[in-house]
Amino acid sequence: SEQLFVEMADRMVAEGWRDAGYEFICIDDCWMAPTRDKQGRLRADPKRFPGGIRKLADYVHSKGLKLGIYSDVGNKTCAGFPGSYDHYDLDAQTFASWGVDLLKFDGCNSDSLELLAEGYRRMSLALNKTGRSIVYSCEWPFYLRPVQQPNYTEIKQYCNHWRNFYDVYDSWSSIKSILDWTALHQDTIVKIAGPGGWNDPDMAMIGNFGLSWDQSVTQMAMWAIMAAPLFMSNDLRHISPEAKGLLQNKEVIAINQDPLGKQGYQLVKDKNFQLWERPLSGRAYAVAVLNHQEIGGPQNFTFFLTFLGNGLACNPACCFQQVLPASRDWGVYSWISSLSVEVNPTGTVLLKV
């Protein structure tokens, strides 16, 4: 409801979320009235959004924030509300006239892959034609994948970020499956990511119920390594101080938002451990050591520094800063050293090199 989004906007300002860099507040599916108006335009549900979207956008903007909205490429949204098929230009103009800053464009209920692709292209052009800067979030490759390999060069031409895999859930098995899928497909998806276009592994579940502390650290660390758009899916009225501290951690956000814009990748998979790296600006690297084991206590993983950055990250020496689970300085290591890292089950240690 309108009231919920107003409350969240207030929280984002009062509790430091905006200052940490979270600037979009996004409405997902189910915001619409069940039918379009007499002119064929989408409209908000009059009971739940009595002031309409324009009024809400004005309020969100007055707080120094931006508003995101949801629609679908097909005849109906995933929840059965009116989709944008055959109304791409009209809907883009409607969203722009309301002052919307982001469109999440889903892929349900499209009659064919040709219509799906054409719809994603047409909405992209329609949004640009409005003259308003609107971030375009696509689900195009996810809906293509069961049938054909997505053309990421084309997708990046039209979209600002895109979902490749299933919806995230508030569970460790969901986070794990997203990471496994990403590692399995990294040869095709990592190279396309960069400023203007990003792979989107879906939202951060931190601050809900399903993830342990170590698993929350893993999601935050790995989303930073993957250069993921950082969207939270949680209730800011009921978030613990620990979860808040993790989501607002400036060092992790700086890695996530690094201006070089290169996505990280898995370097080594060894029994229960994974070693990931991400090239950063200023010849730095982010390195994550993830322990997949789900039982027992903390375990050590040792690796040679020559593994990092094609052997260049630590040549002739480098300094290590631990970012997660807590910030501390590890000092300077030479190129020929190895490093031993202790990691909790389902946890991750995030380092900056």
Side-chain angles (χ1 to χ4, degrees):
S1 68
E2 192 175 305
Q3 189 50 41
L4 177 71
F5 286 94
V6 164
E7 278 181 49
M8 288 296 158
D10 291 345
R11 291 280 167 143
M12 281 178 77
V13 176
E15 293 175 15
W17 300 101
R18 182 189 65 187
D19 296 339
Y22 294 93
E23 57 175 350
F24 288 90
I25 184 158
C26 298
I27 308 172
D28 216 316
D29 201 350
C30 307
W31 61 269
M32 301 164 191
T35 55
R36 291 173 176 268
D37 72 10
K38 288 193 177 69
Q39 285 79 42
R41 286 187 301 246
L42 291 173
R43 51 196 174 147
D45 181 292
K47 281 200 183 67
R48 288 181 292 116
F49 293 86
I53 303 298
R54 175 81 231 193
K55 184 181 164 210
L56 179 59
D58 288 344
Y59 185 80
V60 166
H61 293 154
S62 77
K63 296 280 173 182
L65 298 166
K66 296 175 177 175
L67 185 71
I69 208 161
Y70 170 102
S71 187
D72 189 285
V73 72
N75 299 303
K76 288 194 164 93
T77 71
C78 298
F81 290 87
S84 287
Y85 176 71
D86 237 7
H87 296 84
Y88 301 120
D89 284 300
L90 180 61
D91 289 357
Q93 286 157 15
T94 303
F95 297 145
S97 75
W98 288 344
V100 164
D101 305 288
L102 177 149
L103 172 64
K104 175 181 170 181
F105 208 42
D106 217 331
C108 284
N109 301 307
S110 199
D111 291 338
S112 70
L113 290 185
E114 286 70 31
L115 285 173
L116 179 92
E118 186 197 342
Y120 274 108
R121 287 191 287 259
R122 283 184 56 185
M123 183 53 94
S124 178
L125 299 172
L127 290 171
N128 281 343
K129 229 187 322 190
T130 66
R132 183 171 180 82
S133 176
I134 298 174
V135 175
Y136 187 35
S137 167
C138 301
E139 308 240 345
W140 188 353
F142 172 64
Y143 285 91
L144 277 186
R145 264 198 180 274
V147 187
Q148 67 187 72
Q149 176 64 28
N151 176 351
Y152 282 103
T153 310
E154 182 185 31
I155 289 165
K156 187 173 180 173
Q157 241 179 300
Y158 291 100
C159 303
N160 295 120
H161 48 91
W162 48 84
R163 287 272 309 283
N164 294 304
F165 190 60
Y166 295 110
D167 286 357
V168 69
Y169 286 93
D170 183 22
S171 74
W172 173 238
S173 63
S174 170
I175 303 300
K176 205 167 51 171
S177 68
I178 291 169
L179 292 171
D180 289 346
W181 186 92
T182 303
L184 189 64
H185 294 89
Q186 66 182 18
D187 291 349
T188 52
I189 66 169
V190 165
K191 56 182 180 253
I192 197 67
W198 312 94
N199 291 296
D200 179 5
D202 212 3
M203 294 172 276
M205 293 287 120
I206 299 155
N208 297 310
F209 185 78
L211 300 181
S212 71
W213 173 248
D214 286 302
Q215 292 157 6
S216 298
V217 167
T218 291
Q219 186 178 30
M220 193 69 184
M222 297 309 299
W223 263 234
I225 289 281
M226 293 188 293
L230 212 49
F231 288 93
M232 302 182 291
S233 176
N234 53 25
D235 187 339
L236 301 180
R237 297 166 303 185
H238 307 293
I239 193 163
S240 72
E242 295 78 19
K244 181 180 168 183
L246 180 58
L247 284 161
Q248 292 189 9
N249 184 309
K250 286 186 170 60
E251 294 174 82
V252 189
I253 291 172
I255 291 171
N256 175 267
Q257 299 284 311
D258 184 76
L260 188 62
K262 280 194 179 304
Q263 181 169 336
Y265 38 83
Q266 190 185 93
L267 277 179
V268 177
K269 192 175 179 185
D270 179 22
K271 298 190 185 79
N272 287 314
F273 280 98
Q274 296 178 15
L275 177 68
W276 292 62
E277 75 172 10
R278 176 180 176 189
L280 303 174
S281 49
R283 291 168 57 200
Y285 284 82
V287 174
V289 183
L290 167 59
N291 179 1
H292 252 281
Q293 181 90 339
E294 296 185 13
I295 54 169
Q299 290 185 319
N300 278 299
F301 178 70
T302 304
F303 63 95
F304 290 102
L305 301 190
T306 46
F307 277 167
L308 303 178
N310 285 324
L312 301 174
C314 286
N315 191 356
C318 56
C319 60
F320 276 84
Q321 181 74 32
Q322 181 183 301
V323 179
L324 288 176
S327 180
R328 60 191 181 95
D329 195 9
W330 280 23
V332 177
Y333 290 76
S334 81
W335 185 60
I336 51 170
S337 326
S338 63
L339 195 67
S340 190
V341 185
E342 185 182 81
V343 195
N344 291 347
T346 70
T348 297
V349 171
L350 179 65
L351 306 162
K352 190 174 175 187
V353 188

